[in-house]
């Protein structure tokens, strides 16, 4: 049933100014358990020194966490999301560096990193 999707992944059902913004996208949570939903994981960088060139896909709703539609399937960890924290990651280019100067955190394949 879709009853677990009512809040659509928002803390207490409401988006706040505390939501994490990565590449212009807001992350309403990085941790979801049966009694806790919040953002605990962050990537900090100085935009004047780094240009973000890619990022990992991160689900932004309970529905995206529970593609099977099973009861409590949005709770972490699960068979699809094996940790109680969602992995966040970004690829950066050092501004003023050479054309091939790229820093990836963590070292993974990223969307938009052509």
């Amino acid at each position: 049933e879709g009853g677990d999707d009512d809040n659509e992944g928002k803390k207490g059902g409401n988006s706040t100014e505390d939501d994490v913004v990565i590449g212009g996208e807001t992350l309403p949570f990085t941790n979801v358990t049966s009694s806790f939903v919040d953002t605990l994981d962050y990537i900090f960088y100085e935009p004047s020194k780094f240009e973000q060139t890619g990022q990992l896909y991160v689900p932004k709703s309970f529905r995206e966490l529970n593609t099977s539609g099973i009861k409590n399937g949005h709770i972490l960890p699960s068979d699809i999301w094996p940790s109680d924290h969602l992995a966040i990651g970004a690829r950066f280019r050092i501004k003023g560096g050479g054309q091939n100067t790229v820093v990836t955190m963590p070292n993974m394949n990223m969307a938009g990193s052509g």
Side-chain angles (χ1 to χ4, degrees):
E1 285 294 319
D4 297 319
D5 299 329
D6 294 343
N7 288 337
E8 273 308 297
K10 303 244 174 34
K11 295 176 268 194
N14 298 307
S15 182
T16 72
E17 66 276 358
D18 296 329
D19 292 344
V20 176
V21 178
I22 295 181
E25 291 189 68
T26 300
L27 300 181
F29 53 77
T30 62
N31 181 268
V32 179
T33 68
S34 60
S35 61
F36 182 81
V37 177
D38 210 340
T39 302
L40 300 176
D41 306 283
Y42 302 86
I43 297 174
F44 297 100
Y45 71 99
E46 235 177 284
S48 64
K49 296 183 180 181
F50 296 92
E51 173 192 358
Q52 184 180 339
T53 61
Q55 66 192 49
L56 287 177
Y57 164 75
V58 181
K60 294 173 199 66
S61 71
F62 291 164
R63 186 168 285 121
E64 288 180 76
L65 286 174
N66 183 14
T67 56
S68 307
I70 61 173
K71 182 171 177 59
N72 294 322
H74 66 288
I75 295 175
L76 300 175
S78 71
D79 61 336
I80 298 170
W81 307 98
S83 173
D84 65 339
H85 291 255
L86 294 171
I88 61 172
R91 177 171 285 174
F92 298 93
R93 178 166 284 117
I94 299 172
K95 291 183 177 180
Q99 191 173 21
N100 294 322
T101 307
V102 175
V103 178
T104 303
M105 302 170 134
N107 189 11
M108 303 176 130
N109 292 329
M110 308 259 173
S113 59

